[in-house]
Amino acid sequence: MAKIKLIDVANLAGVSKSTASQYLNGRFEYMSQHTKDRIAEAVKELDYVPNPIARSLKSDKTKTIGVIVRDITGFDTSRVLRGIDDFCKNGEYNVIIYNTDFDPEVEARSIRALYQLRVDGIIISSSGNNQHLLQDYSENGLPIVEFQLEHDDSNKNIIISDYKQAAFDATEYLIQLGHKHICFLTQNFENVKSRNERYQGFISALAKHNIPLHKNLIQYWHRETGFQNSIKDMLRSPPAPTAIFTQHLAITTDLLTQLNQEGISIPEDISLLGFDDIPMAEFFKVPITVVKQEPYKIGSEAAKLLLAHIHNKTLANKKILVPCSVVKRQSCKLSA
């Protein structure tokens, strides 16, 4: 079946191609109702669909943005995406989503693909491995907003949680319960500014209450290999922790599995506080105390900032911190 073109619509309606184009672009105030009806009937009869790429070449806008995430199934990520999509719908923008599965090469291909599709802008949870590519496209006029992770102090548009303050508040809550030996369970944070901000909040709370930092209480988890040390070794290493503060939902869920397998009870044997809320936590035998982020707000703010830069490319780059809250549940108890 031959592809229907704008000229076919114009010919069937008995109008010029220019008139048909102006009707499809909403510029028909001067047209008679009879002319508008003829064009509408022609569009319907031919089942004509405008070519968005061809239209963008003339208007320099596709009314489409790209979003790149690391794990589309993530609980917080899904809420971020909803915030982005809701805001974009109100602005009559379409959203194209790419999922990278934490693979920097897939991320690079996704960035290039969206650029080639002529999206008006990109929102990305960056791995930090393709900053040069993002910088090149940004300097070439493509608005870009990052979220979730901050990798350096470079000047860019970014929306993130206030990780440092959140970690400080969570640690201080544990200290107020009497915990002095708190295990900080994290991914490697040396080259990721956002993870390091959580660590800085943690040690700031310890310093405020004159609690020494014990290196044995800094423990690591890797997405591919799991915990660096076994759970039993973590709990036996001097000084033995009375509470664990996990820094990611995946770490918390993995830890809960390990504790259950080892027969270690929460909060009788160990108190637990996790970063990121857990889906349906209220149905757990022991609901987990968490640092709750605001992913929907992060998504809507990211979309708002991106669209602002799409409409005005002279705007200065902006960093927005979104506050978190500590949701207190039954997984933390007073320490003797």
Side-chain angles (χ1 to χ4, degrees):
M1 182 177 177
K3 184 175 181 180
I4 303 301
K5 299 179 181 179
L6 179 61
I7 189 63
D8 299 319
V9 174
N11 289 339
L12 182 59
V15 299
S16 69
K17 183 178 177 181
S18 174
T19 298
S21 175
Q22 291 195 52
Y23 171 83
L24 291 168
N25 284 286
R27 297 189 295 272
F28 43 61
E29 295 84 358
Y30 68 93
M31 296 181 192
S32 69
Q33 189 60 48
H34 181 61
T35 298
K36 290 189 283 187
D37 290 344
R38 291 207 316 270
I39 298 173
E41 283 297 322
V43 169
K44 182 177 179 180
E45 182 176 334
L46 295 173
D47 194 23
Y48 173 71
V49 178
N51 184 335
I53 295 178
R55 293 174 72 177
S56 73
L57 292 173
K58 296 179 180 179
S59 67
D60 198 34
K61 290 285 190 298
T62 62
K63 298 291 284 186
T64 301
I65 68 162
V67 181
I68 301 174
V69 297
R70 299 180 302 157
D71 179 11
I72 200 169
T73 65
F75 180 66
D76 276 8
T77 299
S78 67
R79 299 301 300 156
V80 170
L81 290 173
R82 185 57 190 258
I84 292 171
D85 191 55
D86 284 353
F87 191 91
C88 287
K89 281 176 182 173
N90 291 332
E92 297 184 347
Y93 265 77
N94 299 309
V95 179
I96 300 174
I97 301 169
Y98 278 74
N99 183 65
T100 69
D101 286 325
F102 304 93
D103 188 330
E105 292 184 9
V106 174
E107 179 183 273
R109 291 200 300 271
S110 302
I111 296 168
R112 293 190 184 99
L114 288 170
Y115 186 74
Q116 291 165 3
L117 287 170
R118 296 176 57 85
V119 296
D120 295 337
I122 292 175
I123 298 174
I124 180 171
S125 175
S126 172
S127 67
N129 292 284
N130 293 295
Q131 295 303 107
H132 63 287
L133 187 59
L134 293 172
Q135 183 67 26
D136 287 346
Y137 287 160
S138 178
E139 291 176 354
N140 204 31
L142 180 67
I144 296 172
V145 172
E146 297 189 29
F147 76 97
Q148 203 166 53
L149 287 179
E150 185 176 18
H151 298 276
D152 53 47
D153 288 315
S154 61
N155 179 34
K156 62 184 126 185
N157 288 311
I158 188 165
I159 315 285
I160 53 173
S161 295
D162 191 346
Y163 295 119
K164 185 174 182 178
Q165 186 63 50
F168 178 93
D169 292 342
T171 305
E172 187 164 63
Y173 169 65
L174 291 173
I175 293 170
Q176 289 168 348
L177 290 176
H179 296 281
K180 295 183 178 180
H181 298 152
I182 303 167
C183 176
F184 185 83
L185 189 49
T186 182
Q187 293 169 276
N188 186 289
F189 56 81
E190 290 182 359
N191 298 315
V192 182
K193 187 173 186 290
S194 294
R195 293 176 189 159
N196 188 60
E197 289 285 298
R198 300 184 190 197
Y199 176 69
Q200 295 302 321
F202 171 70
I203 62 175
S204 293
L206 295 182
K208 176 184 174 181
H209 294 273
N210 298 311
I211 298 173
L213 173 66
H214 296 280
K215 292 298 183 182
N216 284 347
L217 292 175
I218 310 299
Q219 295 286 331
Y220 295 91
W221 175 91
H222 191 276
R223 189 171 297 279
E224 302 299 327
T225 58
F227 298 107
Q228 182 178 15
N229 297 309
S230 72
I231 300 303
K232 283 188 174 180
D233 285 345
M234 285 188 217
L235 299 183
R236 289 171 180 166
S237 297
T242 59
I244 299 177
F245 181 19
T246 60
Q247 301 305 303
H248 193 280
L249 177 57
I251 304 176
T252 308
T253 54
D254 200 358
L255 177 64
L256 287 170
T257 300
Q258 296 292 319
L259 292 174
N260 185 57
Q261 290 175 352
E262 297 292 346
I264 299 169
S265 298
I266 300 170
E268 290 79 13
D269 299 324
I270 190 79
S271 289
L272 175 61
L273 193 156
F275 216 109
D276 300 328
D277 206 355
I278 302 173
M280 297 187 293
E282 63 272 23
F283 298 110
F284 283 29
K285 182 179 179 181
V286 179
I288 307 301
T289 298
V290 295
V291 172
K292 185 178 183 297
Q293 300 189 64
E294 298 295 337
Y296 184 89
K297 183 175 182 180
I298 289 172
S300 60
E301 288 291 334
K304 180 179 179 181
L305 182 60
L306 183 69
L307 265 59
H309 278 263
I310 289 171
H311 298 310
N312 183 359
K313 295 187 178 181
T314 66
L315 291 176
N317 287 342
K318 190 174 184 181
K319 177 178 178 178
I320 298 175
L321 292 178
V322 178
C324 302
S325 57
V326 177
V327 180
K328 300 171 185 178
R329 300 186 179 123
Q330 286 76 53
S331 66
C332 297
K333 71 168 187 175
L334 291 169
S335 178

